């Protein structure tokens, strides 16, 4: 945990921003895997971590905006629990460790909420993303289960986004720690990306390196020679020379701050001419985002400028044709990159998206697009100093999508479908770093992970 004063200050600011009523912040519960006592790896709710920092299951935090008091509610462990867990601190001691003076049982939480509702006080809570927390809110507040999401507090959502979007120096240090572990994950896997190996072997190497850094992976590893499938979690293919291997993986620190890195490498360690041609286009686009990202520009504008780099590259290869600005304005390049440039990152690998992407990735000035590709941009808002965002352009030759656009004549004035046929067996490429918006620009966080052609080939040769 950070020092308790950090959590005290965060909660005080949250009360000031919400102004009235009570704020309920739920921790997570253990979730059964295939029977009740065999649970999935416990992951605490990120909002609860941000304001309370405690890792134990079944905790509920309450902030009283009117009295200025904070509470932690949970039941203490009994001897039946301690047999399996060993001695654990009481709820009162846990609360005190993060500067909370008031604690109670879950039955007392029910009484507290019943009294607040009876007095007509506003109860603020975030949109629940787990059914057990939704049921708990239903009981605490006397709301029908199905109606709980519709009463989530917009004031609380906006107040949380306001705080969590700006990363403190201590948060940035944690994220960089996660990226430094990701360096080991990616470089170790690169060196093993040789013909005859299986994807699952390399995924296992990555997961092992994550645990060596004292944290799990931050999302299911993407390790695939079929990079044209954007989130391909299957790991059963044998690596073969001539294929590009997409490795999208990150980890969490012990405090649950995340990294999210993608590298794409040639199986066997040497790029051929065709692989180089596409890789250099994507790398140029990724570097352009780093060059222009800064406070005041929207990430939607950065996405557009990156798209122009991609479009020009594809035009040079005669895959696309026409004026580059027109290509991008009509979304023709999105055939080869049907996703956005990046997303916010921090305690969540897609930071705060459980609040609703419209509140996290957009603002009153910048709204989501309905255009294919651009409409999938998860963060389009104006950038501010302290934001951490991913920069992850890609190129994907998706046969089913190419065939669909060809049959429908979509953007046919900009796409050379005859030339595109030659690339349908290529797969995909994605290059991703995590960047911090600084006072005048941005910087790539963490230890630099090989990404130029020369760097990758050198790394893969040093086995």
């Amino acid at each position: 945990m950070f020092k308790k004063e950090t959590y005290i200050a965060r909660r005080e600011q949250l009360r000031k921003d919400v102004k009235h009523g009570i704020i309920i912040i739920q921790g997570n519960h253990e979730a059964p895997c295939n029977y009740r006592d065999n649970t999935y790896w416990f992951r605490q709710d990120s909002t609860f971590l941000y304001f309370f920092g405690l890792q134990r299951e079944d905790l509920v935090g309450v902030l009283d905006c009117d009295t200025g008091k904070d509470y932690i509610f949970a039941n203490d462990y009994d001897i039946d629990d301690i047999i399996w867990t060993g001695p654990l601190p009481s709820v009162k001691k846990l609360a005190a460790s993060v500067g909370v003076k008031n604690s109670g049982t879950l039955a007392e939480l029910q009484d507290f909420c019943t009294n607040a509702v009876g007095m007509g006080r506003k109860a603020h809570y975030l949109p629940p993303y787990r059914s057990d927390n939704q049921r708990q809110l239903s009981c605490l507040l006397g709301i029908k289960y199905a109606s709980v999401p519709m009463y989530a507090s917009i004031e609380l959502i906006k107040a949380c986004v306001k705080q969590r979007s700006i990363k403190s120096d201590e948060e940035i240090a944690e994220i960089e720690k996660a990226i430094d572990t990701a360096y080991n994950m990616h470089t170790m896997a690169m060196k093993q990306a040789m013909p005859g190996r299986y994807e699952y072997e390399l995924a296992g190497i990555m997961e092992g390196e994550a645990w060596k850094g004292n944290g799990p992976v931050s999302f299911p590893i993407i390790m695939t020679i079929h990079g044209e499938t954007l989130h391909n979690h299957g790991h059963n293919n044998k690596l073969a020379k001539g294929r590009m291997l997409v490795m999208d993986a990150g980890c969490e620190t012990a405090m649950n701050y995340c990294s999210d890195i993608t590298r794409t490498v040639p199986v066997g360690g040497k790029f051929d001419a065709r692989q180089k041609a596409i890789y250099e286009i994507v790398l140029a686009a990724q570097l352009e985002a780093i060059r222009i990202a800064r406070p005041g520009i929207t990430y939607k504008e950065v996405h557009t400028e990156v798209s122009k780099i991609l479009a020009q590259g594809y035009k040079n290869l005669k895959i696309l044709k026409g004026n580059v600005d027109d290509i991008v304005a009509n979304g023709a390049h999105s055939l080869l990159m049907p996703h956005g440039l990046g997303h916010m990152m921090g305690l969540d690998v897609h930071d705060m998206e459980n609040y609703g992407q419209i509140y996290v990735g957009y603002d009153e000035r910048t709204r989501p697009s309905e255009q294919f590709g651009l409409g999938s941009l998860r963060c389009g808002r104006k950038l501010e100093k302290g934001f951490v965002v991913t920069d992850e352009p890609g190129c994907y030759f998706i046969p089913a999508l190419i065939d669909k656009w060809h049959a429908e004549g979509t953007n046919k004035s900009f796409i050379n479908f005859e030339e595109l046929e030659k690339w349908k067996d290529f797969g995909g490429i994605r290059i991703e770093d995590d960047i911090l918006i600084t006072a005048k620009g941005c910087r790539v966080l963490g230890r630099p992970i090989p990404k130029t052609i020369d760097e990758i080939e050198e790394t893969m040769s040093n086995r």
Side-chain angles (χ1 to χ4, degrees):
M1 292 190 300
F2 298 130
K3 59 185 180 181
K4 68 180 179 181
E5 287 78 12
T6 295
Y7 301 105
I8 292 170
R10 289 173 175 178
R11 294 192 299 267
E12 180 63 28
Q13 185 61 53
L14 187 63
R15 281 195 300 269
K16 287 180 180 178
D17 288 339
V18 174
K19 296 183 175 62
H20 65 93
I22 62 170
I23 300 169
I24 301 171
I25 300 178
Q26 297 167 287
N28 279 336
H29 311 277
E30 287 192 323
C33 179
N34 49 11
Y35 60 93
R36 190 185 69 177
D37 292 330
N38 184 29
T39 61
Y40 288 102
W41 178 259
F42 177 72
R43 175 46 157 93
Q44 184 61 283
D45 175 76
S46 294
T47 307
F48 190 89
L49 284 174
Y50 186 82
F51 290 106
F52 293 97
L54 299 171
Q55 292 284 2
R56 213 205 89 166
E57 71 282 358
D58 301 333
L59 299 172
V60 180
V62 175
L63 284 63
D64 193 319
C65 298
D66 303 312
T67 67
K69 293 181 179 180
D70 297 337
Y71 301 80
I72 291 285
F73 292 98
N75 295 332
D76 280 321
Y77 292 106
D78 59 23
I79 190 62
D80 290 334
D81 299 311
I82 292 170
I83 289 170
W84 298 99
T85 64
L88 293 168
S90 66
V91 174
K92 184 176 182 179
K93 285 184 177 180
L94 286 174
S97 72
V98 290
V100 176
K101 297 179 181 179
N102 306 287
S103 61
T105 65
L106 292 177
E108 289 171 324
L109 170 63
Q110 181 65 70
D111 292 340
F112 184 97
C113 291
T114 299
N115 289 336
V117 170
M119 294 169 62
R121 302 181 71 196
K122 171 71 174 178
H124 301 270
Y125 59 86
L126 296 166
Y129 57 91
R130 293 177 58 151
S131 60
D132 48 7
N133 277 342
Q134 186 166 332
R135 282 194 300 273
Q136 186 179 46
L137 286 169
S138 175
C139 294
L140 291 175
L141 302 175
I143 302 171
K144 288 183 179 179
Y145 174 85
S147 300
V148 169
M150 72 178 65
Y151 292 110
S153 170
I154 304 301
E155 300 102 303
L156 180 57
I157 290 171
K158 291 182 176 180
C160 289
V161 170
K162 176 185 172 183
Q163 276 202 67
R164 288 182 59 190
S165 293
I166 308 297
K167 304 300 185 289
S168 67
D169 289 344
E170 57 189 358
E171 289 182 285
I172 292 164
E174 280 292 311
I175 294 170
E176 292 205 283
K177 190 186 300 182
I179 295 169
D180 289 347
T181 298
Y183 173 95
N184 296 332
M185 295 167 65
H186 281 269
T187 55
M188 291 290 288
M190 283 181 191
K191 294 175 181 180
Q192 300 302 317
M194 298 296 154
R197 302 297 298 270
Y198 282 86
E199 294 164 347
Y200 59 76
E201 295 179 83
L202 275 64
I205 289 169
M206 278 194 160
E207 188 147 358
E209 290 298 320
W211 280 113
K212 285 181 184 179
N214 199 24
V217 293
S218 48
F219 57 93
I221 292 170
I222 298 167
M223 174 72 69
T224 181
I225 58 173
H226 287 290
E228 72 278 8
T229 303
L230 303 187
H231 280 181
N232 192 333
H233 295 301
H235 297 148
N236 291 317
N237 296 300
K238 181 185 285 190
L239 306 192
K241 192 173 178 61
R243 301 294 304 182
M244 294 295 289
L245 177 68
V246 175
M247 306 185 297
D248 188 344
C251 63
E252 296 190 359
T253 67
M255 291 180 61
N256 298 107
Y257 282 87
C258 299
S259 58
D260 185 2
I261 303 291
T262 308
R263 292 293 184 264
T264 307
V265 302
V267 174
K270 290 290 183 182
F271 288 83
D272 62 30
R274 192 166 77 144
Q275 291 168 343
K276 282 184 179 179
I278 298 299
Y279 192 90
E280 291 286 15
I281 293 169
V282 178
L283 180 59
Q286 207 252 2
L287 294 174
E288 179 69 2
I290 294 166
R291 187 183 73 83
I292 66 176
R294 64 188 184 276
I297 192 173
T298 69
Y299 216 44
K300 190 174 185 179
E301 291 168 332
V302 177
H303 173 101
T304 298
E305 293 306 310
V306 164
S307 297
K308 291 177 183 178
I309 299 292
L310 295 171
Q312 182 63 59
Y314 302 145
K315 182 179 175 181
N316 293 344
L317 292 177
K318 304 188 185 308
I319 294 171
L320 298 182
K321 56 189 177 180
N323 179 273
V324 166
D325 288 345
D326 292 338
I327 289 171
V328 172
N330 286 275
H333 67 292
S334 297
L335 173 63
L336 302 181
M337 192 179 91
H339 65 75
L341 180 62
H343 50 79
M344 301 280 272
M345 202 190 71
L347 272 169
D348 307 305
V349 72
H350 280 224
D351 213 24
M352 301 175 285
E353 288 192 13
N354 57 302
Y355 300 165
Q357 186 186 328
I358 191 67
Y359 302 109
V360 178
Y362 289 87
D363 53 29
E364 296 304 319
R365 170 187 168 189
T366 308
R367 308 307 289 169
S369 170
E370 295 184 359
Q371 186 183 76
F372 181 82
L374 183 57
S376 296
L377 177 62
R378 307 190 79 83
C379 179
R381 65 189 286 196
K382 183 173 68 173
L383 298 174
E384 298 180 38
K385 180 184 175 184
F387 282 16
V388 175
V389 295
T390 63
D391 167 20
E392 49 179 312
C395 175
Y396 316 90
F397 294 94
I398 307 169
L401 184 61
I402 293 169
D403 291 345
K404 182 176 187 295
W405 279 33
H406 194 184
E408 295 173 352
T410 304
N411 278 311
K412 63 181 181 181
S413 59
F414 300 111
I415 300 172
N416 185 346
F417 285 104
E418 182 177 348
E419 182 65 26
L420 195 53
E421 283 291 319
K422 303 173 185 177
W423 295 88
K424 285 169 67 175
D425 65 340
F426 185 90
I429 290 173
R430 182 164 60 253
I431 307 170
E432 177 183 19
D433 285 312
D434 306 325
I435 64 175
L436 168 69
I437 306 303
T438 60
K440 295 183 179 179
C442 72
R443 72 175 177 92
V444 178
L445 292 172
R447 184 179 180 183
I449 300 171
K451 69 178 176 182
T452 68
I453 286 175
D454 288 345
E455 289 169 347
I456 289 171
E457 289 187 344
E458 181 180 1
T459 300
M460 295 181 73
S461 69
N462 293 325
R463 299 180 61 197

